[in-house]
Amino acid sequence: ILSGRTQDLNLAFLGKRLNKLGIRIAEARVISDDSDVIINTLNECRSKYDYVFTTGGIGPTHDDITSAAVANAFGVPLIRDPEALTLLRQHYANPKDLNEQRMKMCEVPKGAKLIDNPISKAPGYQIENVFVLAGVPRIMQAMYEALKDRLVPGEPMKSRTIIAFIGEGKLAEGLGNIQIIHSQTEIGS
């Protein structure tokens, strides 16, 4: 996503699934792999919104710094979670395959609750209202399915799309009047 070469599938998936639960996305951000940016963004968003979802940055590579930044944002240590370690040991039959880089995927902020990953076993986690998920779409989607029962549902947004081959300038006044009369309805054009 940062380079622009990768299409973001995660936001569209989360938007559709959360809406089915009646949870609306209020804001989406793409931020850099910079610890200060992650900490500041996370602290701002977690105090402002009911739920915060992050995707990516929890893998085994040098630039996967999300877990350390999340721990810093919450003021807790980053620990090697015993349950996560057990899951990875079971997944990698050959102990040599569970190298130090992969062990990094067992590190979570102290007090975090693991989120199951049925695909590659390296879990995501939840700490308070923040859900930290993998960036690989297939894995992120599986993690979402594992966590969705932790969310408090609301009323799903109902929408209808109308295609009109008329310029917005001709519709603007009428749409504005309808919006005024039906203030509980959101009209976008």
Side-chain angles (χ1 to χ4, degrees), residues 7-102:
Q7 183 181 5
D8 178 17
L9 302 176
N10 294 339
L11 180 58
F13 175 88
L14 286 171
K16 288 177 185 173
R17 291 304 200 283
L18 291 170
N19 185 58
K20 283 183 180 180
L21 293 177
I23 300 169
R24 294 183 61 190
I25 293 181
E27 183 176 346
R29 298 183 189 187
V30 176
I31 61 173
S32 63
D33 289 322
D34 177 290
S35 187
D36 289 337
V37 172
I38 295 169
I39 292 166
N40 292 334
T41 302
L42 188 59
N43 282 332
E44 177 188 344
C45 291
R46 71 187 179 103
S47 67
K48 189 174 178 182
Y49 300 112
D50 294 334
Y51 300 114
V52 176
F53 295 87
T54 73
T55 61
I58 59 172
T61 62
H62 71 283
D63 60 342
D64 288 318
I65 61 168
T66 298
S67 291
V70 171
N72 282 327
F74 280 89
V76 298
L78 190 64
I79 63 161
R80 187 163 283 173
D81 186 274
E83 184 182 345
L85 185 56
T86 298
L87 290 168
L88 259 60
R89 283 186 174 142
Q90 290 169 353
H91 183 68
Y92 292 102
N94 183 345
K96 290 181 183 179
D97 290 337
L98 187 54
N99 59 28
E100 192 57 36
Q101 289 73 29
R102 286 183 171 142

Side-chain angles (χ1 to χ4, degrees), residues 155-173:
E155 183 65 33
M157 179 174 54
K158 296 173 184 152
S159 67
R160 177 177 294 163
T161 301
I162 300 170
I163 299 173
F165 297 99
I166 301 170
E168 281 184 303
K170 289 186 178 183
L171 294 174
E173 183 180 3

Side-chain angles (χ1 to χ4, degrees), residues 131-187:
F131 296 85
V132 180
L133 311 175
V136 176
R138 188 170 73 106
I139 298 172
M140 184 280 302
Q141 291 167 12
M143 286 181 175
Y144 173 81
E145 294 303 323
L147 73 79
K148 68 183 178 184
D149 291 336
R150 300 181 191 181
L151 306 173
V152 177
E155 183 65 33
M157 179 174 54
K158 296 173 184 152
S159 67
R160 177 177 294 163
T161 301
I162 300 170
I163 299 173
F165 297 99
I166 301 170
E168 281 184 303
K170 289 186 178 183
L171 294 174
E173 183 180 3
L175 290 176
N177 290 337
I178 292 169
Q179 183 69 75
I180 291 168
I181 294 167
H182 302 284
S183 60
Q184 76 284 4
T185 302
E186 292 181 32
I187 299 175

